[in-house]
Amino acid sequence: MIGILNQSTLPNSNFMPKRQLDAYDRRILEALQHNGRLTNVELAEQIGLSPSPCLRRVRLLEETGVIQGYEARLAPDEVGLGLTVFVGVKVERHHERDAEQFRKEVRALPEVVAAHLVSGESDFLLQVALPDLRAYERFLLGTLLKLPGVKDIRSNFAIQTVKPQSPLPLDHLGH
């Protein structure tokens, strides 16, 4: 697994945000994680700032990459994607070039809604959203098994979502 990991993919156990985040920033982030459609005036009122400094802070959080975007959370069943599969992928070789090619191809697959480089039995863990088991069969045989360097695939099917993706906890930032 050594070849797959590099400085950009290794977690930093002593992580500190690149930008010093204060209590106002934390409140902005918490509020926007819960409702990304707040107007600036609503957000400013909620966090206790006037609108101009609030907007400056939000723009700075966006520019520095702390806020990466805004999106709507969809109900998978309601849009015909009732099957979630967690796919562990083991690759043959552990060269950075091969791993980067695999990552590039996985990022281009719309069915893959999240992908992670992991430790353990698999090298990568993919979260895949599809309409049904037949669609997964086609995706597995027609796409995943044809990706470069794939040695083994292990599939785990979600029976029930107990907790969907939720806001990041920010308690470590202090108040």
Side-chain angles (χ1 to χ4, degrees):
M1 184 86 177
I2 298 298
I4 291 177
L5 297 174
N6 63 33
Q7 263 330 80
S8 66
T9 58
L10 286 174
N12 181 348
S13 60
N14 296 322
F15 174 77
M16 289 301 295
K18 293 178 183 175
R19 179 178 173 277
Q20 194 63 28
L21 302 173
D22 65 16
Y24 286 115
D25 294 328
R26 177 181 170 189
R27 290 198 295 266
I28 288 170
L29 296 172
E30 287 174 339
L32 290 176
Q33 282 191 102
H34 286 91
N35 183 358
R37 295 184 68 170
L38 287 172
T39 67
N40 183 57
V41 171
E42 292 169 331
L43 178 61
E45 184 177 297
Q46 189 172 329
I47 67 161
L49 274 178
S50 60
S52 290
C54 181
L55 183 59
R56 278 194 300 275
R57 284 174 175 271
V58 170
R59 286 189 176 149
L60 187 58
L61 290 166
E62 291 168 346
E63 290 167 6
T64 58
V66 175
I67 295 175
Q68 296 181 338
Y70 302 88
E71 58 195 33
R73 280 188 303 241
L74 306 180
D77 287 336
E78 298 301 320
V79 294
L81 295 172
L83 181 67
T84 299
V85 186
F86 296 93
V87 183
V89 179
K90 191 160 194 60
V91 294
E92 289 176 355
R93 295 175 303 278
H94 294 232
H95 300 295
E96 182 59 33
R97 184 187 72 236
D98 297 332
E100 184 51 41
Q101 181 63 31
F102 179 85
R103 288 191 292 262
K104 178 182 175 190
E105 295 206 22
V106 163
R107 283 191 292 267
L109 299 173
E111 300 88 349
V112 177
V113 297
H116 306 275
L117 175 65
V118 297
S119 64
E121 292 182 24
S122 299
D123 298 317
F124 294 91
L125 182 62
L126 313 179
Q127 181 179 348
V128 179
L130 295 152
D132 54 32
L133 191 55
R134 180 66 105 197
Y136 180 63
E137 178 185 12
R138 287 190 302 270
F139 181 68
L140 175 67
L141 299 175
T143 304
L144 283 183
L145 288 171
K146 293 181 179 179
L147 290 176
V150 171
K151 179 179 180 180
D152 187 39
I153 291 180
R154 303 291 168 128
S155 303
N156 292 285
F157 298 88
I159 305 300
Q160 179 184 62
T161 299
V162 176
K163 182 179 181 182
Q165 183 174 342
S166 58
L168 292 174
L170 300 176
D171 290 344
H172 69 285
L173 296 176
H175 294 280

